[in-house]
Amino acid sequence: MSLVDDIDEVMISTEQLQSRVTELGRSLEREYAGIDLLLVGVLKGAVMFMVDLARAMDLKVDLEFMAISSYGNEAVSSGVVRLIKDLDQNIAGRHVLIVEDIVDTGLTLAYIREMLLAREPASLRICALLDKHEARKTDVPLDYVGFRIPSRFVVGYGLDFAGTYRNLPFIGVLKPEKYAVK
Ligand code: IMP
Ligand code: MG
């Protein structure tokens, strides 16, 4: 029994992830040349992406993490989120890049963006690995996107289903029976 046995289809391979993350790193290097950048990762989904992205950039970067939790049903984003872990440092006057795993309705990210903007960073941009643009309910500006994907539930490379599959080294679609209520 292997984790991969639960996957119906590989949507984005390890090689595709690596080459896209490298490209994003190059773009960010150009954008932030000579600037100290603060990467703000949203736990836990963004962890794999964030550490790979940071290593793809020849820049002075610091890493911060925040954790949030959605109220109510996890499967349907309400956009009403609760702050579980705040940043350790003040971001006023800093150049901040939010690093997110996936943007679905956009409600979660819109909330985080407003919260961080209120702290008056020098700049605030967003880098999302995956963009399910068809599902968007609010306009949130995505400055950098790894891949636009269809509205299907995916796991791997940080993304989970009920706390599992984050460590798969690719993005895949779960077999339907894995969603079955136990
Ligand atoms: P939004 O508020 O609808 O944009 O929800 C975004 C959050 O929902 C992401 O940060 C993920 O935690 C979660 N999410 C949305 N789609 C998926 C998916 O396909 N797989 C795993 N988590 C997802
Ligand atoms: Mg998330």
Side-chain angles (χ1 to χ4, degrees):
M1 192 57 208
S2 129
L3 263 189
V4 179
D5 297 337
D6 295 353
I7 300 300
D8 223 359
E9 179 193 323
V10 175
M11 187 183 277
I12 306 169
S13 70
T14 303
E15 293 70 26
Q16 286 173 301
L17 286 168
Q18 278 170 355
S19 79
R20 186 65 186 128
V21 170
T22 302
E23 280 176 11
L24 287 171
R26 293 286 165 278
S27 306
L28 289 163
E29 271 177 13
R30 285 194 294 274
E31 181 78 38
Y32 291 99
I35 290 173
D36 289 3
L37 179 61
L38 183 63
L39 298 180
V40 170
V42 185
L43 294 171
K44 304 171 191 165
V47 166
M48 312 292 179
F49 178 41
M50 175 136 147
V51 297
D52 284 348
L53 189 64
R55 286 181 289 190
M57 281 185 269
D58 183 11
L59 284 180
K60 289 182 178 168
V61 302
D62 196 358
L63 310 182
E64 279 284 334
F65 294 95
M66 61 192 302
I68 52 147
S69 136
S70 311
Y71 279 114
N73 186 347
E74 287 284 338
V76 185
S77 183
S78 61
V80 183
V81 301
R82 186 163 56 99
L83 190 61
I84 300 285
K85 183 211 172 299
D86 203 344
L87 306 177
D88 293 339
Q89 47 185 307
N90 190 346
I91 61 165
R94 303 290 305 274
H95 291 276
V96 175
L97 182 70
I98 301 174
V99 180
E100 201 17 335
D101 51 358
I102 186 164
V103 188
D104 191 21
T105 62
L107 294 170
T108 305
L109 198 49
Y111 176 92
I112 292 170
R113 182 172 174 271
E114 289 306 317
M115 184 171 64
L116 296 187
L117 273 179
R119 300 178 186 185
E120 305 189 326
S123 70
L124 182 68
R125 291 198 180 91
I126 296 173
C127 179
L129 177 67
L130 305 175
D131 176 14
K132 288 190 194 173
H133 57 105
E134 294 158 1
R136 200 61 33 82
K137 284 185 185 159
T138 181
D139 241 343
V140 58
L142 303 184
D143 301 284
Y144 298 90
V145 169
F147 302 88
R148 274 194 159 196
I149 62 166
S151 292
R152 298 176 73 188
F153 192 84
V154 291
V155 295
Y157 199 61
L159 293 152
D160 73 308
F161 172 68
T164 308
Y165 306 108
R166 293 190 196 277
N167 56 325
L168 278 175
F170 56 83
I171 303 280
V173 181
L174 265 189
K175 286 182 177 163
E177 64 263 30
K178 295 296 161 191
Y179 297 103
V181 182
K182 291 179 188 103

